[in-house]
């Protein structure tokens, strides 16, 4: 299989390269195991060539800062030599691409994860001596092995800042075949402009971003449209339920405030209340335009 190795000149060039391929972080969305991205959103990103430049969170910033320390700490313990991988590799025939963390000079990839203790307990599977990373990470590493052609990879995770986990992985032909089949189907759907079915709960914000424009003066007559009628009734009903829930929650909060008085913090057997004072502040900012959405019912208060 033909492999390309590219050294991007800068981050923008790297982002442009990635939008043309399915990367190791994209692939989990096609298998419906990504915590961050749905198949529907991924499809539109690739179809419209949307380059996403994420504003780094504090966790992301510190994760990047700690990568070198974790990698070189692992290398010291294992008596390895490692180096950062700056190359972007791709399989052009199937439009799969990948970036990597580190290369072990004696052979193999090293994928670094800085893991919170609670996240480790919730998402990592320990069964006797068998340890598995969360499915999207396991798939990410198999994707990297496929694209790179390497025969060995390690997932190196620092858990809670003081516990090292090292998981050895070799290429899994069945998973590699499934990745290529998913990729082929995905790019065929792009060529045919056949978008996947959205997950309306997970995709709600993204769909709102797709339909943020309204044509001034455009009127859609939906008279005798039972499907839209049912959707409107569902929306209004959920709005009423939400108001009832918010009202009940506000009442519960009021009861709690009366009980705790001026206490800033309250601890119970399995819970903690933080009720500190937030001082006044003047905040000035520019608000981006957005699409308003209200449902009006005749003889009923407006539903927002």
């Amino acid at each position: 299989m033909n492999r390309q190795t590219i050294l991007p000149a800068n981050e923008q060039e790297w982002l442009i390269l990635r939008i043309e391929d399915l990367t190791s972080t994209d692939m989990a969305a096609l298998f419906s195991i990504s915590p961050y991205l749905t198949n529907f959103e991924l499809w539109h990103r690739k179809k419209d060539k949307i380059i996403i430049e994420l504003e780094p969170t504090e966790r992301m910033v510190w994760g990047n800062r700690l990568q070198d320390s974790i990698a070189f700490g692992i290398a010291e313990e294992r008596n390895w030599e490692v180096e950062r991988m700056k190359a972007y590799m791709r399989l052009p025939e199937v439009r799969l691409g990948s970036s990597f963390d580190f290369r072990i000079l004696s052979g193999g990839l090293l994928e670094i994860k800085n893991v919170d203790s609670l996240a480790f307990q919730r998402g990592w599977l320990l069964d006797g001596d068998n340890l598995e990373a969360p499915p999207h990470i396991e798939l990410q590493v198999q994707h990297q092995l496929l694209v790179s052609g390497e025969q060995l990879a390690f997932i190196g995770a620092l858990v809670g800042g003081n516990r090292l986990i090292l998981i050895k992985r070799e290429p899994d032909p069945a998973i590699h075949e499934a990745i290529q089949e998913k990729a082929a189907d995905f790019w065929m759907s792009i060529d045919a402009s056949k978008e996947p079915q959205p997950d309306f709960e997970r995709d709600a914000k993204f769909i709102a971003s797709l339909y943020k424009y309204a044509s001034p003066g455009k009127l859609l007559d939906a008279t005798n449209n039972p499907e839209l009628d049912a959707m409107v009734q569902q929306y209004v009903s959920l709005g009423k339920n939400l108001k009832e829930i918010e009202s009940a929650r506000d009442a519960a909060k009021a009861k709690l405030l009366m009980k705790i008085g001026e206490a800033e913090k309250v601890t119970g057997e399995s819970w903690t209340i933080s009720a500190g004072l937030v001082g006044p502040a003047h905040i000035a900012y520019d608000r981006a335009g957005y699409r308003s959405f209200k449902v009006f019912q005749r003889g009923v208060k407006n539903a927002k």
Side-chain angles (χ1 to χ4, degrees), residues 12-190:
Q12 187 64 24
E13 185 177 320
W14 175 69
L15 290 169
I16 292 170
L17 286 169
R18 287 168 58 85
I19 204 64
E20 297 294 337
D21 296 326
L22 287 166
T23 69
S24 56
T25 50
D26 292 333
M27 189 53 62
L30 296 190
F31 285 82
S32 301
I33 57 174
S34 173
Y36 316 110
L37 186 66
T38 66
N39 189 7
F40 180 82
E41 183 174 351
L42 175 66
W43 191 92
H44 280 276
R45 284 189 187 182
K46 300 298 182 181
K47 177 70 174 176
D48 300 330
K49 299 188 183 299
I50 300 171
I51 296 176
I52 304 295
E53 297 185 64
L54 295 175
E55 187 70 26
T57 64
E58 188 173 17
R59 179 184 288 272
M60 290 167 61
V61 169
W62 277 103
N64 288 332
R65 287 171 178 166
L66 290 169
Q67 267 195 347
D68 285 347
S69 298
I70 297 171
F72 290 117
I74 292 172
E76 184 178 341
E77 287 205 2
R78 300 294 295 240
N79 197 26
W80 290 341
E81 287 187 66
V82 300
E83 66 179 9
R84 266 197 173 274
M85 292 185 68
K86 299 179 181 179
Y88 177 81
M89 298 183 69
R90 65 189 304 261
L91 303 176
E93 291 124 4
V94 286
R95 293 182 64 183
L96 294 174
S98 186
S99 301
F100 311 88
D101 287 345
F102 292 84
R103 182 197 304 276
I104 303 168
L105 298 190
S106 59
L109 305 172
L110 178 59
E111 177 68 20
I112 298 298
K113 303 296 179 186
N114 184 36
V115 186
D116 176 82
S117 296
L118 186 58
F120 180 80
Q121 293 175 16
R122 289 176 175 173
W124 296 61
L125 179 63
L126 180 60
D127 183 12
D129 294 331
N130 182 36
L131 179 62
E132 292 183 12
H136 67 282
I137 295 176
E138 294 281 358
L139 184 63
Q140 176 189 5
V141 171
Q142 285 298 326
H143 185 284
Q144 291 173 342
L145 286 167
L146 171 62
V147 172
S148 67
E150 292 279 355
Q151 297 302 303
L152 187 63
F154 289 88
I155 303 169
L158 185 65
V159 180
N162 58 11
R163 179 187 176 191
L164 176 63
I165 298 294
L166 201 59
I167 304 175
K168 179 181 176 181
R169 288 291 179 257
E170 297 175 349
D172 186 320
I175 295 177
H176 290 189
E177 183 178 351
I179 287 172
Q180 292 178 81
E181 288 177 357
K182 286 280 188 183
D185 290 344
F186 179 84
W187 292 120
M188 284 176 61
S189 74
I190 293 284

Side-chain angles (χ1 to χ4, degrees), residues 266-292:
V266 185
T267 59
E269 186 175 344
S270 60
W271 49 265
T272 300
I273 296 173
S274 177
L277 178 65
V278 179
H282 172 70
I283 302 174
Y285 62 95
D286 294 325
R287 177 183 56 75
Y290 65 96
R291 188 175 183 181
S292 64

Side-chain angles (χ1 to χ4, degrees), residues 196-243:
Q197 181 69 20
D199 178 333
F200 285 106
E201 289 192 8
R202 292 190 66 195
D203 287 312
K205 289 184 179 180
F206 182 73
I207 291 172
S209 74
L210 289 178
Y211 294 91
K212 62 184 177 183
Y213 178 75
S215 299
K218 181 177 180 179
L219 174 65
L220 175 65
D221 185 359
T223 307
N224 298 323
N225 190 322
E227 184 180 16
L228 271 180
D229 283 344
M231 290 180 182
V232 167
Q233 293 305 320
Q234 180 189 31
Y235 180 81
V236 171
S237 177
L238 289 171
K240 290 177 180 177
N241 292 340
L242 181 62
K243 287 180 180 179

